[in-house]
Amino acid sequence: MIKQAIIPLAGLGTRLLPLTSVFAKELLPINGKPGIEYILDECIEAGIKEVIFVISKKKIMIKNYFYNDKFYKDIIKKKKDPRIVNEYKKILKYKKMIKFVFQDKPLGTGDAVLKTMRFIKDKYFLMLLPDDLIIKKNCSKSMIAIHKKFNSSVMASMSVHKKEVARWGIYNVKKKIDNANFIIKSVVEKPNPKHAPSNKAVIGRYILPKTIFNKLKNLKPGKGGEIHITDAIELLINDNEKFIGHKFFGKYLDCGTMKGYINSTMEIAKI
Ligand code: G1P
């Protein structure tokens, strides 16, 4: 069973400047609700019991959002507003399942995952990248079902335009299982379109084996000087770990860019 999830949250959010100069992008509202709460709701609905937030000192605002008890207690005492009581209850429910781990330098997704090593209990865990919202169908839940069926690692995937491959991790297929699931032959971080193995991109939902920590411990920085989870995954594939690319059915919203962030509010408001 997959019971733990990791969410890397120490990124600087430069693509969303100036909003992120004083604000954590994951707390920015999307149709009136912080982006991170959509991710937490996806986890809860998928049966996750513990979520590990990887934050930095600069992103301490995220911890404060969930640890603001005195403020809520005082205001509830004064106002007795049932709406505020319900909001506080919701925050308490999230808080109970969150553990905080620090990554003080933004050295990449791989480094963020490595920081959680001592907390991971089971053979496999889930990782969600908060810039990627997937609405209308719970992607993590579908991936957990695939993991159970094939006893393998899984990554969410989507086809992208050939000229945009340099924005993503890109994989090629060893074997097609069905129309939505593919056994991965190899994966490369943000390839040049000229050398990209395909147009199948990795989206920010991963079911990873605990053995990935052995790879991450010795991994050298890759593209852009960062330690990428993609590079550790490629090493595991070379060691015969089975990775499935799962073409998800939900709608993908890229909340990590200004254009995508604005669009995500409009898309969610339509539901
Ligand atoms: C990260 C991963 C990349 C993946 C992408 C999905 O990139 O490194 O492989 O395709 O997330 O959103 P980032 O968005 O951090 O540049």
Side-chain angles (χ1 to χ4, degrees), residues 22-23 39 55 58 64 76 78 98 102 109-110 120 125-126 139 145 166-167 212 234:
V22 293
F23 212 76
I39 304 277
I55 61 169
K58 280 188 186 146
N64 295 343
I76 287 167
K78 240 190 260 163
I98 305 172
F102 283 82
T109 335
I120 297 297
F125 59 91
L126 175 70
C139 180
R167 157 76 184 85
I212 200 155
E234 174 67 358

Side-chain angles (χ1 to χ4, degrees), residues 107-113 127 169 188-190 206 212 215-216 219-235:
L107 295 177
T109 335
D111 183 64
V113 172
M127 174 173 72
V188 54
E189 181 67 12
K190 303 192 171 80
Y206 306 72
I212 200 155
K215 301 295 177 199
L216 287 170
L219 203 60
K220 299 258 164 354
K223 270 263 153 70
E226 288 188 12
I227 297 180
H228 293 288
I229 199 70
T230 317
D231 296 340
I233 291 170
E234 174 67 358
L235 293 175

Side-chain angles (χ1 to χ4, degrees), residues 15 109 129 131-132 167-170 189-190 201-204 206 228-230 252:
R15 289 181 291 204
T109 335
L129 301 183
D131 280 359
D132 295 346
R167 157 76 184 85
W168 313 96
I170 300 289
E189 181 67 12
K190 303 192 171 80
V202 175
I203 301 301
Y206 306 72
H228 293 288
I229 199 70
T230 317
Y252 168 68

